[in-house]
Amino acid sequence: MVANAPKSEVVQAWLEKDVKKKGKHILQDFVFDAPAATNMSYHQIILQGGLPFFC
């Protein structure tokens, strides 16, 4: 483990089965997984000061 690595926490989310399945296939095309997509989403929320897709 890297000495200065940020600490991580678990986020659990309930998704509709078809949404999860379709989203997973799309993310795979971009070589991302659900945790990476969630992490990027949270970073965008912080940068935008809100939900970026509602702007």
Side-chain angles (χ1 to χ4, degrees), residues 34-51:
T38 303
N39 195 37
M40 288 187 294
S41 296
Y42 270 73
H43 279 281
Q44 284 300 310
I45 290 166
I46 293 165
L47 288 171
Q48 299 292 325
L51 296 174

Side-chain angles (χ1 to χ4, degrees), residues 6 8 11 16 26-28 30 34 40 44 49 52:
S8 299
V11 175
E16 298 168 19
I26 293 168
L27 288 173
Q28 287 174 340
F30 292 99
M40 288 187 294
Q44 284 300 310

Side-chain angles (χ1 to χ4, degrees), residues 10-28:
V10 174
V11 175
Q12 290 182 307
W14 290 96
L15 299 173
E16 298 168 19
K17 283 186 178 186
D18 62 326
V19 169
K20 181 183 174 190
K21 184 177 180 180
K22 291 174 184 176
K24 182 178 179 179
H25 288 292
I26 293 168
L27 288 173
Q28 287 174 340

